Amino acid sequence: MLERARRYAPQLTAVVYLLLALPLLPLHGVTYDAPALYYAGDRTLFFLTHRHVPGALDFSSRQEPPGFHSFFSRDDEWEDPMRYPVLPGLVAAVVSAVVHDGLGLLDPAAAHHLGLVLLQALALWLFAHYAIRFLGFQAGLFAAVALMLFPSAFGHAFNNPKDWPCAMFYGLAVLAASETPANSPAARMSRARPLTSPSPAASTARP
């Protein structure tokens, strides 16, 4: 039972976060700098699905490509799409295309927020995985739950497509970089295993 809990603790951490976060989606609005980043995600998705359209990903042009439309405007923060990573906005755009455009379940803002919430669930899954791996089951799980419920982390994960995803995945990259071959679980077990003395036959030198 304990071994099964250790194995599925990262997944359960992500599921618990989703159970807490999903009912709160309609309560979160759009921050002042989020529209430009959501716009960048929408336009990047348009580029990926309309590769033949000229200038589809030319953020330096004030003329939008033909056929493109976004619920969000970049006017308040015009340069942000050219300065910040687009991955969180792209994930939000893909989720919105499925949930809002395809299924009609949420408004565009909430559908984009859902993409960020799912991205945070993935990040918590990975964090719990590495935390348990490096710190042990109890300490690692406590660290993951503490991060999940930390007020800034919990609040910004809904509608901040810039600061929190960048900070979260930067931290995950640092944790993942610590998983070197010399620091892997197999290497640690090998170092902890007692050395066996060679047999007399093996230690006998040839004349």
Side-chain angles (χ1 to χ4, degrees), residues 113-203:
H113 294 344
L114 176 60
L116 298 185
V117 167
L118 295 176
L119 193 62
Q120 172 69 355
L122 172 63
L124 285 171
W125 181 348
L126 294 174
F127 179 85
H129 167 77
Y130 285 114
I132 292 173
R133 198 179 185 93
F134 293 144
L135 303 177
F137 176 66
Q138 291 184 344
L141 183 59
F142 178 83
V145 173
L147 176 62
M148 175 180 65
L149 299 179
F150 188 68
S152 294
F154 193 84
H156 281 259
F158 285 93
N159 54 6
N160 188 336
K162 177 182 60 175
D163 304 295
W164 184 248
C166 289
M168 188 70 181
F169 281 94
Y170 173 81
L172 287 172
V174 172
L175 287 175
S178 302
E179 188 65 270
T180 60
N183 196 37
S184 65
R188 292 197 297 268
M189 290 180 60
S190 177
R191 291 194 296 267
R193 188 179 301 123
L195 298 176
T196 57
S197 58
S199 62
S203 60

